[in-house]
Amino acid sequence: MYRWLLRLYPASFRNEYGREMAAVFARERRDTRTAPGMAALWLRVIADTCVNAAAIHWDILMQDLRYTLRTLRRTPAFAVTAVTVVTLGIGATTAAFSLADFVLIRPLPFLEADRLVRVSEERPGLPRMELAPANYRDLKQMAASFEALGAYRGLSVNLVGARQPLRLQGAAMTADVLAALAVRPMIGRPFAAADDVDGAPATALVSYALWQEEFGGDPSIVGRPVRLDGEAYTVIGVMPPDFNFPSRGAQLWTAMRFVPADFVDRNHNYLQGIARLRRDVSVDAARTEMSMLAGRLQQQYPKENEQTGVSVIRLRDGVSPQSRTLLVALLGAAVCVLLIACANLTNLLLARAIVRRREMAVRMALGAGRERVLRQLLTESLVVTGTGGVLGLALAAATLPILSRLVPTALPIADTPAMDLRVVGFAIALTMVTGVAFGIVPLLQHHRDRAGEGLREGARSGGSGREGMRSALVVAEITASVVLLVMCGLLLRALWTIQAIDPGFRLEHTLTARTSLPMPKYETLGARTGFYDRVLSEIRALPGVSSAAYISFLPLGDMRGGIFPVGISGRVESRREDNVAFLRYVTPGFFQTLGIPLLQGRDVRDADRLDRQPVAIVSASFVAQFFPGQEALGRRFDFAAATREIVGVVADVKIRELTGVSEPQVYIPHRQLPDRTYEWFAPKDLAVRATGDPLALVSAVRAIVQRADAEVPLSDIQTLEQLVDGDLASRVTQVRVLGAFAGVALVLGGIGIHGLLAFAVSARVREIGIRMTLGARRADVVAMIAKRSLSLSAVGVGAGIVLAYVSGRWLQSLLVGVSPADGTTFAVAAALAAATAIAGSLRPALRAARVDPVTVIRLE
Amino acid sequence: MRDRNVNADAIAAMLPLLPATFHILVALADEDRHGYAIIQDVAARTDGSIRLSPGTLYRSIQRMLEDGLIVETDERPAPEDDDERRRYYHLTALGTAVAKAEAARLMDLVRMARARGLAPR
């Protein structure tokens, strides 16, 4: 029993005094006769052991720490290299982990978020379609799986009543949405059922940021009247700061207030469904119920709901597969860097352990127990990794804001992942594991040493097995850096490919902005025409402006939809998606302003009015689709509620994305947009082509819009280049991040190979000296080292190429057609890795060449 | 064992001593003792009010050995009194000097207390 207690002491102490302590204890026990006395003795002994054992462990730790700091100070190069290596490894992994944790793992910031699901319609080929209001209403009435089922749609309105007219993004929602999310406003009240009926007074909730920035954080905001797109609303509350629903940056929410007309068309799908599952209902059970209900609706409305199902997915699973791939790739890259760092650390510690074999042997010979030496080494490894861990955490915190650009916008979460306890815990765990696991490797070497061996002068360092292990580590480092380089290279090629894509319009010297026209003020053509004419004529009169025009939505801007069916007499198209085109209304001069070539016919004119023949300008792809090989001018087709005549053909532009094909486009003169029809499409995106710097025009344009109508907000001011670059921003970040990882890996690989060869050379100085005495020339010695370096890198590069090809195939969805086996990328990556290996071996090779045989032999 | 160079600064740096350390020094002042004998001596001198536990005793001994206050001695008592498990400890010159310095320090304290009537004359 007492012997067991003694095990709490450090082995060195126990070996020294254990027997005597046991003897003392035995005497005391003999002297104690009564049972209570015996109990007291045991209690005393247990307390004594705990206190003293802890104190002795602490003493040893302090001793080891002092010793470690002394030795590290004596070898600053080792200390700095090892800490740097660990910092990079842990920093990269921690940053990548906090991002992946934030986006993929952590529950969404809602109460019991795993019970939140998205409810959508699905049709063959369209897995997640919006809900039609009538279907939503019927599902809601019949569904038993949900505690609450709500619906919302995106909202974009002009707000008047704050400091300045503003363009706001948010959502119109039914009263059940907040109930389903289980979120309440921080001040005021949520939407009640009574707010959400036809004819109810209009109510709105504002975001915390909007409240702070535009209403000065005024607590009396509740009850305040504001005008949204000209309609009077009452603010009923402020949502909490972390409420990012339906997506990041939402500023305003209104009650849905369906009117009876909304429920007429079951093919007008625009609602997002969100529901909270009942506690006892699983997602699968809800799915089963929904498909049963969808079947019932199909029977009831066989025409409208043909082949229409209902899908239920967890809100958390809303991350696109591409974002997921990207994050997993990032995590993979980070783990690669960490492994390289660990391999390097092991190599450094091994080399150090071998160098210090004599020191260790001396200490053991002087009576230090093996356990004390092991403890000392472990302390040293933990000091190095601990320092690296702290620095790595700081590095991760510093890089997170950059990485946060990779957070997909579609999730209801904030944009910057927070460094919280989980992340810090992760970093600490990582550091400990690295420190212990890789601190132990050199310890194992020690175990194999017989105590006497290290004492022999000139003992040959590093047996062949040990060399083999160190070489394997260096090969692994080179392999990992090749994989990272190839990944980065492939993504870079993909980025270049996209950047080289011609969007179909000229990007330079063009200013863009949005002037969202408040409705119903501008629901008539007369009102709109007055505004456009005034704004455009004044802008065109500005010095430095060569042309200006309006369009419904700029290509590659924030609105990339707007597809309508095309009807051509005599043409029957089976597939709906083959029979549609983009609708855009434009003012005269739009094609000239964006530099879109007019291939045939004419531009729209002011004379194209409602009382004349409806006309359209179509894109080349439209002609290819609907009138292949035919003269398009003068042909007619049904589109957007009129039969229109083609009066012009323009070149294609990219509307949805740079990487996609150019879909058919139809441009209609804005003067042929009737009152109170397709108001959403009334032109509001302004484009101004400048002769010089387009941003120099901003204040003048702002003044003109302000004079024309002080209630029209001017938003989204940027150059056309910026607008298109926004599309590439996340890709640019991807490349930079992976590039940084690859760079770090390369540097670490270089350090690794340098360390290995430098060590090998110093260990073989004697051999080299003898060879040179026996007639080897310096060139032969250098060749011997170079051969070693090259054979290691050849193995590493070879393995790297194979692994990179496998991982590249998995990245394919991000590569926009760049082959995962892209030869150039592989060649460059291999060359870079080989060059680093050679650079790393230069110094050791030179050192070997400078070995003076005479000195070496004399030392013998 | 008078070969140790006793340095005043080194002695001053060790003061004040932990009570256990001082008691062990006192116990070894007149003769070399083994661990259990030290415990008994301390207990006897303090009428049983201080009873060193084995942990405290050997932790103190380890430190005192490192600091050079005591050494293990090879001189053993007569075989019939000896037990081969026991190790005997011997006070070094440094140990003696440190014990004296600590005693002087304590006497100074007592003198000061006495001057203010806090201790019996």
Side-chain angles (χ1 to χ4, degrees), chain A residues 206-553:
Chain A
V206 299
S207 74
Y208 180 82
L210 183 69
W211 178 53
Q212 288 294 321
E213 283 157 25
E214 300 298 334
F215 295 94
D218 180 3
S220 68
I221 188 172
V222 174
R224 184 157 165 174
V226 291
R227 293 189 79 78
L228 299 178
D229 279 354
E231 194 187 345
Y233 278 72
T234 307
V235 175
I236 60 167
V238 178
M239 295 306 289
D242 60 348
F243 186 66
N244 286 290
F245 186 87
S247 56
R248 195 194 305 165
Q251 296 159 296
L252 183 100
W253 301 269
T254 62
M256 182 75 79
R257 297 185 300 157
F258 287 122
V259 296
D262 290 331
F263 296 117
V264 174
D265 185 357
R266 277 182 196 265
N267 277 329
H268 192 27
N269 301 52
Y270 60 89
L271 293 176
Q272 307 279 344
I274 177 127
R276 177 170 289 268
L277 293 173
R278 280 189 197 286
R279 248 171 233 291
D280 53 347
V281 174
S282 68
V283 176
D284 284 335
R287 239 170 237 156
T288 312
E289 194 205 5
M290 285 298 117
S291 61
M292 192 261 292
L293 296 182
R296 206 182 288 173
L297 287 175
Q298 271 186 41
Q299 285 179 350
Q300 257 177 303
Y301 308 98
K303 194 158 163 264
E304 297 101 310
N305 276 16
E306 190 190 357
Q307 290 194 301
T308 302
V310 175
S311 85
V312 177
I313 60 160
R314 280 186 205 283
L315 188 58
R316 158 51 83 208
D317 296 336
V319 181
S320 74
Q322 286 184 358
S323 291
R324 196 174 287 270
T325 304
L326 176 66
L327 282 171
V328 175
L330 187 66
L331 213 52
V335 169
C336 260
V337 170
L338 181 70
L339 288 180
I340 295 177
C342 288
N344 247 335
L345 185 67
T346 310
N347 252 343
L348 281 166
L349 289 172
L350 267 178
R352 189 172 161 80
I354 292 165
V355 170
R356 285 169 66 189
R357 240 154 45 129
R358 262 176 61 78
E359 173 199 331
M360 293 299 159
V362 168
R363 289 186 68 191
M364 288 205 204
L366 286 179
R370 171 177 287 171
E371 171 253 358
R372 288 287 291 109
V373 174
L374 301 191
R375 261 183 90 135
Q376 158 61 32
L377 284 174
L378 206 54
T379 309
E380 190 173 300
S381 154
L382 281 174
V383 165
V384 168
T385 49
T387 315
V390 171
L391 292 176
L393 201 58
L395 182 72
T399 49
L400 259 188
I402 305 168
L403 287 181
S404 67
R405 287 215 219 150
L406 300 179
V407 175
T409 45
L411 281 181
I413 51 180
D415 54 351
T416 309
M419 296 285 278
D420 59 5
L421 278 179
R422 288 164 65 111
V423 172
V424 174
F426 174 82
I428 290 175
L430 203 60
T431 307
M432 293 295 289
V433 169
T434 312
V436 173
F438 295 88
I440 276 174
V441 178
L443 301 190
L444 296 179
Q445 299 287 339
H446 272 285
H447 263 301
R448 269 187 247 143
D449 280 356
R450 277 154 313 183
E453 196 180 296
L455 277 176
R456 274 186 282 118
E457 184 64 48
R460 198 70 61 76
S461 326
S464 58
R466 217 161 286 168
E467 282 275 321
M469 172 167 171
R470 305 193 61 213
S471 303
L473 286 172
V474 168
V475 167
E477 286 174 27
I478 296 174
T479 305
S481 30
V482 169
V483 172
L484 285 181
L485 281 172
V486 168
M487 297 294 104
C488 174
L490 288 176
L491 287 176
L492 190 64
R493 295 274 303 204
L495 178 66
W496 285 344
T497 309
I498 298 173
Q499 278 174 337
I501 293 173
D502 178 9
F505 47 89
R506 280 171 34 218
L507 297 176
E508 62 280 3
H509 297 307
T510 307
L511 182 72
T512 68
R514 173 162 295 168
T515 56
S516 306
L517 300 178
M519 300 294 169
K521 188 175 180 181
Y522 286 97
E523 67 184 3
T524 63
L525 177 60
R528 288 195 300 264
T529 307
F531 179 80
Y532 298 143
D533 285 352
R534 173 162 180 188
V535 168
L536 289 178
S537 64
E538 286 187 33
I539 289 177
R540 284 177 190 137
L542 288 174
V545 170
S546 61
S547 66
Y550 265 105
I551 183 170
S552 310
F553 314 102

Side-chain angles (χ1 to χ4, degrees), chain A residues 16 21 27 31 48 59, chain B residues 36 53 55 58 63 86-87:
Chain A
E16 193 75 15
M21 289 172 77
R27 297 277 296 260
D31 296 346
D48 169 58
D59 288 347
Chain B
Y36 189 66
S53 68
Y58 285 103
R63 274 215 178 153
R86 288 184 192 151
R87 293 194 218 177

